[in-house]
Amino acid sequence: MNKKIKIFGWVLGCVIALPAFGADVSERANCSDLLAQINELTALESPTADQSAQLASVQARYRSECSRAAGERAQRASAAVRTVVAAVAPKTVAPAAASATVVVTARSLLNDYLDKRQDLCEELQSDIDTMLASDASEAEIEPLQNQYDADCTDIDKSESVVVDAETAARNVSSGLCEDGSKPNKFGCCEGETFTDMGNLVFACCPDDGGTCYPPINNGNAL
């Protein structure tokens, strides 16, 4: 008995739903029919007055009953597309401010080094002056002065000095180094070390190796 009631209820539900379904199909079929009539009437080369009036009537009905629904569907579709595009579109990121381009050259690096070296030399000279003002002895000041003389009297040695053999010989004979600079108190030039060779023999030996030479002033500082 219960089974028969369930089957009857299902059939009754289908019967009730059929009108709505039929109305939907009828509405879609109606718009198609209207469009077909419009196509037929517009295809006439010399329509009569009645046919023209019928065309205007059918077009008006199509616009009122079919165009609005189509337009609403198009709007919904367009909105959906815009939503999807907005969801997948990449975010616009403001470009970072362009940083200043710094061109590094050998000269710029050397100038930076020389500036720092000059600052150290000025600091060292200030220390020497402070000690002099404090009545420091010459023996106390000598290490600082020697360092200043070695590092600060000729700070920039980046330029290569090419001296011909004749000029070098003339400089040495006058008590100077080959490049015309003054030797240190041991008679050695820049890049040379005063060395005890044994048996009271002293020489100036190149720091990078090579032949050792007698001091220019014969080691008179000893």
Side-chain angles (χ1 to χ4, degrees):
M1 181 66 180
N2 291 336
K3 186 175 181 182
K4 291 181 179 180
I5 293 174
K6 290 182 180 179
I7 295 174
F8 177 76
W10 179 80
V11 173
L12 181 61
C14 292
V15 171
I16 294 173
L18 281 175
F21 178 77
D24 183 58
V25 173
S26 175
E27 183 179 354
R28 289 199 298 272
N30 188 32
C31 289
S32 300
D33 291 342
L34 292 176
L35 185 59
Q37 293 180 39
I38 292 172
N39 292 335
E40 290 178 2
L41 292 171
T42 53
L44 298 175
E45 295 183 359
S46 303
T48 63
D50 291 340
Q51 290 173 332
S52 298
Q54 184 183 1
L55 175 60
S57 176
V58 174
Q59 287 177 334
R61 185 180 174 190
Y62 184 84
R63 283 195 298 270
S64 64
E65 297 180 9
C66 302
S67 297
R68 179 181 299 176
E72 291 175 353
R73 288 195 299 272
Q75 290 178 359
R76 288 195 296 271
S78 178
V81 170
R82 288 196 298 271
T83 302
V84 172
V85 170
V88 300
K91 294 182 179 179
T92 302
V93 180
S99 57
T101 302
V102 179
V103 179
V104 178
T105 63
R107 190 69 234 183
S108 67
L109 293 174
L110 179 60
N111 288 339
D112 183 59
Y113 168 78
L114 294 177
D115 289 342
K116 294 176 181 177
R117 179 84 174 270
Q118 183 63 45
D119 291 342
L120 291 174
C121 288
E122 291 176 358
E123 183 178 344
L124 181 58
Q125 183 61 61
S126 178
D127 293 338
I128 294 173
D129 294 340
T130 299
M131 294 193 69
L132 288 173
S134 302
D135 296 328
S137 66
E138 184 177 344
E140 291 177 307
I141 297 176
E142 184 177 8
L144 295 177
Q145 189 62 54
N146 290 342
Q147 191 66 45
Y148 182 89
D149 293 342
D151 291 347
C152 303
T153 52
D154 185 13
I155 296 178
D156 187 357
K157 298 180 180 180
S158 60
E159 299 297 332
S160 300
V161 178
V162 179
V163 181
D164 60 87
E166 183 179 350
T167 301
R170 185 168 57 250
N171 288 336
V172 171
S173 64
S174 62
L176 299 174
C177 296
E178 291 184 358
D179 60 0
S181 62
K182 184 180 179 180
N184 61 24
K185 61 183 180 181
F186 299 109
C188 297
C189 298
E190 180 70 23
E192 297 176 344
T193 299
F194 186 69
T195 307
D196 184 356
M197 309 297 290
N199 297 323
L200 296 178
V201 176
F202 300 94
C204 295
C205 299
D207 296 337
D208 57 357
T211 305
C212 297
Y213 296 93
I216 293 177
N217 57 12
N218 296 322
N220 291 335
L222 290 178

